[in-house]
Amino acid sequence: MASPKGVGGGMVRAAEMEKMSLEQLKALKEQADLEVNVLQDSLNNIRTATSRLESASTALNDLSLRPQGSKMLVPLTASLYVPGTLDDADKVLVDIGTGYFVEKTMAEGKDYCERKINLLKSNFDQLIEVATKKKTVSDDVAVILQAKLKQLAPASS
């Protein structure tokens, strides 16, 4: 078997797993499964953030095509919109996190969205790689745990 990355970042080889007790294997499996679940939650959060940024980028493109003085609905929350008038389509407020907004030009706003999307996609790819390795560890432990349990079953009958 290959030597997958183990819990805590150390290398856990199949030979080392086979020397572990049932309790140690169960603990290793639980830890690996927990880490896979945490990584899966992170992947979902990245997907959501990427989707929001892509929507923002599309909205910026839409906004840049509208003439000054256009009537529009302005979102205050996800479900509350108020009537408004487009004053200056070249200046936008960009949410940079934790309630802070920065005024940018339309081009800078679009660039900000694209850079953030690319960063999130890069992080997503890295997390997929880590999650795959953790899942491999979990699967390897499960196989060894099953084999040990089968060895003990006839002896305890």
Side-chain angles (χ1 to χ4, degrees), residues 59-120:
L60 285 175
N61 283 328
D62 237 16
L63 191 61
S64 68
L65 302 174
R66 295 178 184 256
Q68 188 171 344
S70 296
K71 301 281 186 205
M72 58 182 14
L73 290 175
V74 180
L76 294 181
T77 66
S79 60
L80 177 62
Y81 293 78
V82 295
T85 305
L86 181 59
D87 183 36
D88 184 2
D90 193 49
K91 297 224 187 317
V92 293
L93 288 178
V94 177
D95 182 355
I96 59 171
T98 61
Y100 288 96
F101 292 83
V102 174
E103 186 177 286
K104 293 189 174 281
T105 66
M106 181 63 70
E108 290 171 338
K110 289 177 184 179
D111 180 58
Y112 177 83
C113 286
E114 289 307 311
R115 284 186 292 117
K116 290 296 259 183
I117 289 168
N118 290 336
L119 176 65
L120 287 172

Side-chain angles (χ1 to χ4, degrees), residues 31 49 78 107 118 135 137 140 157:
Q31 183 66 31
N118 290 336
K135 180 70 174 129
V137 169
D140 289 349
S157 298

Side-chain angles (χ1 to χ4, degrees), residues 16-29:
E16 293 169 354
M17 288 184 213
E18 289 172 2
K19 294 177 187 174
M20 292 180 174
S21 69
L22 286 176
E23 292 77 24
Q24 289 172 318
L25 286 170
K26 287 178 184 176
L28 183 62
K29 172 103 172 89

